[in-house]
């Protein structure tokens, strides 16, 4: 299970230290990690290094993810950050194609595919986000949108690594209408996505399915089903460390 806190454009150094202080108050992190349950935090770029060192100094078994990366290897790309730089900072993986990047920064399906193969070649675990808008759902176009977003990424991955095995890719279903709105999908929606992935892209893709969109300590239990949901991507609720503890407690309880 990958439990991911996407901090988006939030948090400062002082807030990061206090956040980790609260999480350090629970002594079950190592036991959870041994059960394959792990917390990953995706801070803004400037804090990747600071967050990593704060985690290490507290002996916490958390992973650090980036919220984006450049598809190019290196060179004259002002304002961009490469996969090699992320690796150099001890980052384990990267969120790619988040709907906010698609919506506000014009990220295309092709760009997400390029970034995913670059991440894989750098040994970074990609978390590829996909999901429909409310209008697309109302128009009955969900599967068309999922396929449009997933297919180019799958094709590039399969081409890049032959038969399609290797570093696992996480596929985060984040319906745009559920992000930051307080309106969550229901388990039935996620089951529908899971079986679509299994039928159209195979078990490997279906077994990397995460869900994101207004997940919190109230909604999380109803959205989880073993074998269907392999983790959660949480924005607003995981800005509050006590909520992280409540979610872990509710889902995983005592080790
Ligand atoms: P919220 O949890 O705030 O809806 O955000 C979800 C998200 O975008 C995680 O990547």
């Amino acid at each position: 299970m990958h439990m991911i806190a996407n901090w988006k454009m939030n948090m400062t150094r002082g807030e990061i230290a206090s956040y980790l202080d609260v999480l350090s108050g629970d002594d079950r992190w190592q036991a959870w990690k041994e059960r394959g349950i792990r917390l990953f935090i995706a801070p803004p770029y400037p804090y990747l290094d600071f967050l990593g060192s704060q985690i290490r100094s507290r002996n916490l078994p958390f992973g650090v993810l980036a919220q984006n990366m450049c598809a190019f290897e290196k060179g004259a790309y002002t304002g961009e950050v490469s996969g090699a730089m992320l690796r150099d900072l001890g980052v384990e993986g990267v969120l790619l194609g988040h709907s906010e990047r698609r919506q506000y920064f014009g990220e295309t399906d092709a760009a997400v595919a390029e970034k995913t193969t670059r991440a894989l070649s750098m040994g970074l675990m990609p978390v590829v986000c996909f999901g429909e808008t409310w209008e697309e759902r109302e128009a009955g176009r969900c599967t068309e949108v999922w396929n449009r977003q997933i297919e180019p990424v799958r094709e590039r991955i399969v081409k890049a690594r032959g038969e399609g095995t290797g570093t696992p890719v996480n596929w985060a279903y984040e319906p745009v209408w559920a992000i930051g709105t307080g309106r969550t999908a229901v388990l039935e929606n996620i089951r529908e996505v899971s079986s679509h992935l299994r039928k159209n892209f195979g078990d490997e893709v279906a077994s990397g399915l995460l869900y994101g969109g207004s997940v919190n300590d109230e909604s999380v239990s109803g959205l989880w089903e073993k074998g269907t949901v392999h983790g959660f991507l949480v924005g607003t609720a995981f800005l509050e460390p006590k909520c992280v503890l409540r979610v872990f407690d509710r889902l995983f309880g005592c080790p």
Side-chain angles (χ1 to χ4, degrees), residues 77-251:
Y77 301 104
T78 302
E80 291 294 309
V81 173
S82 73
M85 292 167 187
L86 299 180
R87 284 301 303 255
D88 192 36
L89 294 175
V91 170
E92 292 183 43
V94 57
L95 310 183
L96 294 172
H98 192 283
S99 65
E100 287 149 15
R101 296 219 52 84
R102 296 175 191 265
Q103 187 181 347
Y104 305 125
F105 304 100
E107 200 149 295
T108 61
D109 299 322
V112 177
E114 298 278 329
K115 289 178 180 199
T116 307
T117 41
R118 175 70 64 193
L120 285 169
S121 76
M122 296 305 306
L124 291 161
M125 174 183 83
V127 180
V128 179
C129 306
F130 69 99
E132 78 287 353
T133 61
W134 186 251
E135 291 69 33
E136 288 162 340
R137 172 159 284 271
E138 291 276 89
R141 293 180 47 221
C142 287
T143 54
E144 171 201 327
V145 172
W146 304 338
N147 289 347
R148 193 196 70 221
Q149 293 176 336
I150 294 171
E151 254 158 22
V153 184
R154 264 305 278 173
E155 272 167 24
R156 288 295 311 256
I157 297 171
V158 173
K159 216 183 324 171
R161 66 183 187 198
E163 73 291 1
T165 53
T167 309
V169 178
N170 290 272
W171 302 88
Y173 173 54
E174 295 210 305
V176 179
W177 48 270
I179 296 177
T181 57
R183 183 160 63 168
T184 52
V186 290
L187 186 53
E188 203 39 51
N189 299 133
I190 309 173
R191 284 193 186 128
E192 190 193 348
V193 177
S194 171
S195 66
H196 179 80
L197 295 188
R198 203 172 297 282
K199 206 156 72 201
N200 292 274
F201 301 102
D203 286 349
E204 188 194 333
V205 171
S207 65
L209 178 63
L210 315 183
Y211 171 76
S214 295
V215 174
N216 58 35
D217 50 332
E218 300 286 316
S219 62
V220 73
S221 314
L223 292 165
W224 185 46
E225 181 172 67
K226 214 170 171 213
T228 306
V229 184
H230 304 273
F232 291 98
L233 194 44
V234 190
T236 316
F238 274 11
L239 289 174
E240 171 51 64
K242 287 201 174 116
C243 187
V244 178
L245 293 175
R246 285 197 297 273
V247 164
F248 269 74
D249 203 46
R250 230 159 245 194
L251 282 186

